[in-house]
Amino acid sequence: MRVSEGDVEVEAPDPRDGSSEGAGDAVFFNPEMELNRDLTVAVLRAYAERTDAGAANVDSGGGERTLSYLDAMTATGVRAARAAEAGYDVTAADVDPEAADLARENLALNDLPGEVVESDANVLLHSERFDVVDLDPFGTPMPFADAAVAGTRKLLCVTATDTAPLCGAHFDSGVRKYDTVPRNTDFHREMGLRVLIGALSRVAARRDVAVEPICSHATRHYARTYLDLTHKATAADKALQWLGFVHHCEDCLYREHEFGRIAHPPEDCPNCGSARCSTAGPIWLGPIVDNEFVDAVADEVTPNMGEWKRVSRLLDALGAELDTPTHYDQHRLCKQWGAPANKLEEFLDDLRDAGYEASPAHYGGTCFKTDADVTEIREAAEPAVDTTGE
Ligand SMILES: [Zn+2]
């Protein structure tokens, strides 16, 4: 079938055909990932602007340089084609010869320049370097993370679709893949994103590389992060200081976090005394976005993108989201208290009126962030039970 995304058109296998269920034989095309690709294009445009501005500041005299971009698991080549359209010097790689052929055809179909390589991502990334590398695997990206850090000069873009291991729902798999203790909490999407970034930061540190997440989100069934890399040991040391642990009470939903590589879990919940406290980590506790960069990305979202409205809403939410390492679910709290759930905006206004910071979380639904703890949230914002009998 012919698919059109942004300003490019590609041939792709119809995902409704039974043979193309992700790990099947046919080249994989996931229309669900259009939002992911739209946002990638906006990020790439904003990143090129930022790099040009940086180069002008140091007055290198070389003028603007086209950044190179590797789509390391290209499949149909749609992501690579869109990066080429955004002005990048594109290489598309796939280990599957059929996919490499299709990617080549799709670049040609759009008259876009770009090299297509039939190669395993790890082999390629250990032998060549690119300014920007995009890892968009089916499942976990971790088997490719070390090579990706080695092969990336500046920006590493990573998708993970294995949300169950990431958020601790598949605990053993999460421990193996991400070398951490993930916990299945009521803030599971945030847990997944921070397990992913934490694991990538440790892999990068082994190569004296620091990661700075400049845009990250958890949407539907995947987590995605854009990591600005600094190849410097002292910077890597500093980045590792953002790692730490979250202690979480399964009964009252109280949570607290601590930085460092050694955990000091409370014996019992400091809030309700329950012994059912669990600790997750090490995970990334630092910022997951650079607000200035997110604003710049929002300026690069254009109406020719199929998902531009949702991407814009997502970026607005990311820009306004409080920088705390966990979020709460308003409905879960209200259920816990036996209180009726009111509108999230009302609930957040009550928190702000009581002097706390509060924002919706980009994860959507009834997720929010605040600097109040669970008791303070209840005191400030518990909706009254309607006793008028109506
Ligand atoms: Zn508790």
Side-chain angles (χ1 to χ4, degrees):
M1 64 174 186
R2 187 65 68 93
V3 183
S4 146
E5 259 193 39
D7 287 332
V8 307
E9 279 201 349
V10 294
E11 273 303 325
D14 191 333
R16 285 166 299 191
D17 291 349
S19 57
S20 50
E21 295 261 322
D25 288 341
V27 178
F28 187 52
F29 174 74
N30 188 351
E32 289 273 304
M33 283 295 194
E34 185 169 3
L35 177 142
N36 182 328
R37 291 187 288 263
D38 282 351
L39 179 55
T40 301
V41 170
V43 165
L44 290 177
R45 287 179 185 152
Y47 193 77
E49 287 277 325
R50 174 165 136 147
T51 309
D52 283 347
N57 283 343
V58 297
D59 195 25
S60 57
E64 292 181 14
R65 183 173 73 83
T66 304
L67 295 172
S68 59
Y69 170 90
L70 171 69
D71 182 6
M73 293 108 176
T74 201
T76 62
V78 60
R79 193 179 282 274
R82 297 195 62 188
E85 184 69 37
Y88 279 73
D89 172 13
V90 162
T91 302
D94 206 295
V95 70
D96 171 10
E98 261 183 65
D101 284 344
L102 182 57
R104 207 170 279 122
E105 282 166 30
N106 280 330
L107 280 170
L109 181 68
N110 293 279
D111 270 331
L112 287 167
E115 193 186 347
V116 178
V117 191
E118 186 191 319
S119 172
D120 174 78
N122 281 334
V123 174
L124 181 61
L125 284 162
H126 276 304
S127 53
E128 267 190 70
R129 294 184 97 193
F130 303 85
D131 294 318
V132 180
V133 169
D134 208 320
L135 287 186
D136 187 45
F138 183 75
T140 178
M142 293 315 287
F144 307 97
D146 179 61
V149 171
T152 306
R153 283 191 205 95
K154 294 171 180 293
L155 182 69
L156 178 56
C157 322
V158 182
T159 306
T161 62
D162 59 331
T163 50
L166 274 175
C167 72
H170 293 170
F171 181 79
D172 292 337
S173 177
V175 171
R176 286 197 307 275
K177 302 285 191 311
Y178 296 98
D179 185 24
T180 190
V181 177
R183 292 289 186 193
N184 196 2
T185 61
D186 59 312
F187 49 97
H188 54 96
R189 280 171 283 193
E190 182 106 34
M191 175 68 67
L193 197 47
R194 289 173 183 279
V195 162
L196 173 66
I197 298 171
L200 292 168
S201 74
R202 292 193 295 280
V203 169
R206 296 201 300 239
R207 291 184 173 272
D208 295 342
V209 175
V211 305
E212 183 196 350
I214 55 175
C215 185
S216 315
H217 62 108
T219 302
R220 290 181 186 160
H221 299 296
Y222 65 90
R224 171 86 165 161
T225 186
Y226 299 85
L227 303 172
D228 204 12
L229 303 188
T230 303
H231 293 258
K232 198 174 169 193
T234 50
D237 291 340
K238 272 195 190 148
L240 289 184
Q241 291 174 6
W242 290 115
L243 291 174
F245 300 86
V246 172
H247 313 296
H248 170 261
C249 173
E250 289 168 37
D251 285 322
C252 75
L253 307 181
Y254 173 86
R255 73 282 308 259
E256 62 185 35
H257 63 274
E258 63 169 328
F259 291 94
R261 302 305 293 273
I262 297 170
H264 305 85
E267 283 218 353
D268 299 312
C269 171
N271 188 54
C272 76
S274 161
R276 298 204 318 134
C277 269
S278 65
T279 294
I283 62 172
W284 183 263
L285 299 176
I288 58 168
V289 300
D290 170 338
N291 284 320
E292 207 176 301
F293 184 70
V294 166
D295 284 349
V297 175
D299 288 342
E300 300 293 345
V301 176
T302 46
N304 65 337
M305 297 174 173
E307 293 279 10
W308 74 273
K309 283 184 184 163
R310 288 183 58 227
V311 174
S312 293
R313 276 202 298 274
L314 172 63
L315 289 166
D316 285 349
L318 279 173
E321 184 173 303
L322 279 186
D323 174 24
T324 62
T326 69
H327 65 75
Y328 295 89
D329 181 324
Q330 181 215 3
H331 282 192
R332 175 81 196 270
L333 287 174
C334 288
K335 193 173 165 202
Q336 177 102 352
W337 303 330
N342 55 352
K343 281 197 179 132
L344 181 62
E345 255 325 300
E346 243 170 71
F347 188 90
L348 297 183
D349 279 342
D350 287 343
L351 277 169
R352 294 183 193 115
D353 288 346
Y356 301 106
E357 288 193 275
S359 77
H362 78 273
Y363 309 104
T366 49
C367 298
F368 70 97
K369 292 190 162 191
T370 180
D371 58 352
D373 72 26
V374 76
T375 303
E376 293 165 337
I377 298 172
R378 185 171 188 175
E379 280 168 9
E382 182 179 1
V385 177
D386 185 353
T387 51
T388 58
E390 281 171 27

